[in-house]
Amino acid sequence: MQKFGIPRFAGAVSLCLALGVPGVASATEGYFALAYGPAQRGVAGAGVAYSVDPMSAAINPANIADIGHAMTFGLEAFSPRRGFDANESPPLPNGGADSGHDWFAIPNFGYNRPLEGGGALNVMVYGNGGMNTSYPDVANPNCGVATGIFCDGKAGVDLMQMFVSVGYGRKDGNLSWGVAPTFAVQRFAARGISSLSGSSVDPTNFSGRGYDISTGFGLRAGLKYEISPQVTVGLAGQTRFKMSKFDKYAGLFEDAGSFDIPASISAGVTFKPRSDVALMLDYQRIFYSNIAAVGNSNTNGLFGAKGGAGFGWDDVDVVRIGAEWQQTPDMTWRAGYAYATNPIGKEDVMLGVLAPGVVEHHFSFGGAKKLNERDTFDFAINYVAPHKVKGPGMFNGDVELDMHQFSASVGWTRRF
């Protein structure tokens, strides 16, 4: 196995690793998911100022106050198609490769119950995952007798997240508000990149250590105000989630394995020109650059050191538009579009080889069929258009990342 001790390249690789981490269970914005339930995915994740079912609280906890007594289950089949093309850019094999493991199942659950005195309780369990890579142990002339895209056999990353949220919401006049303390669990593994461990303060905890677990807490909160029966505005945000360290990857992530979940803030407006139509416009900013392991430059010294190399990510801005039309009392249709800025510039293209999350344009379609007075079936289909980013290789040549995504989700909601 050959060793490559180029800080910039190793930095790039570790970012791709991070990309395989959090919030990328469905169509992705950096590594935050587009949405966490089929009703929300149908409008491209919009809904800061609009509530549908218990999973609406994942967008804005203020929605808890308007949901009523309901329970929902959902399941998403998520398929990220990703890979790279390398042109005379060792150690990557010329011509590139595509990742395997194309399908992932992501469940969600939510329960909302009004309380005496005007408040309401909400419980949600939802996850992120599927933004991983698994490259085969390909022949690679750049590796001598070794094989694999990084001369270390099969290569890839796998990171999943689970969130458990218990929230409280209340409506006082035209103002709704909500808070939701949230417990998070992250699971991460990396393999096939030991050839880069020469740029780490802890080479033995850089690659191939199996799965590691990280846990922590954060707080989400929001407001929603009904200006008129036609217009509602909303504001929501989440704090930084302070997570325990990935000890098995103390040589990969900054400060001996630190990998917190970044804060974010969202604002939105919903306009109802008619009683059967809702139009939504949301904006979100995700503060990736405030997390040292994500935002530090990949030239900030060695990996794993305090203040050391990170992934060089910029913050991400997301704009969403969504529409919901109730065609009949039993049938509702949804559609949406979201645009997310890409946190990875061409100068950091090598970071994305293991998780090329470079997509920007998200298209959504869905609906809801009322089965009876209590039960509703929701569905959504999401397509993320192909997007490519091309930049310089490690020593010479160039590398082009490419990705597109599909997902289909279904859900069942019962009202009590």
Side-chain angles (χ1 to χ4, degrees), residues 15-16 18-34 78 131 262 284 286 288 294 313-318 320 339-344 355-360 362 403 405:
L15 173 52
C16 17
L19 264 179
V21 197
V24 237
S26 62
T28 52
E29 294 149 354
Y31 55 71
F32 275 36
L34 178 71
F78 171 58
M131 190 62 175
Q284 181 183 32
I286 307 169
Y288 290 117
V294 178
W313 273 33
D314 299 322
D315 296 337
V316 166
D317 295 300
V318 188
R320 315 173 198 268
Y339 171 77
T341 59
N342 186 349
I344 306 172
V358 295
V359 292
E360 296 180 339
H362 309 70
M403 172 177 264
Q405 300 172 353

Side-chain angles (χ1 to χ4, degrees), residues 27-52:
T28 52
E29 294 149 354
Y31 55 71
F32 275 36
L34 178 71
Y36 296 102
Q40 295 72 35
R41 294 186 191 104
V43 290
V48 175
Y50 191 68
S51 58
V52 179

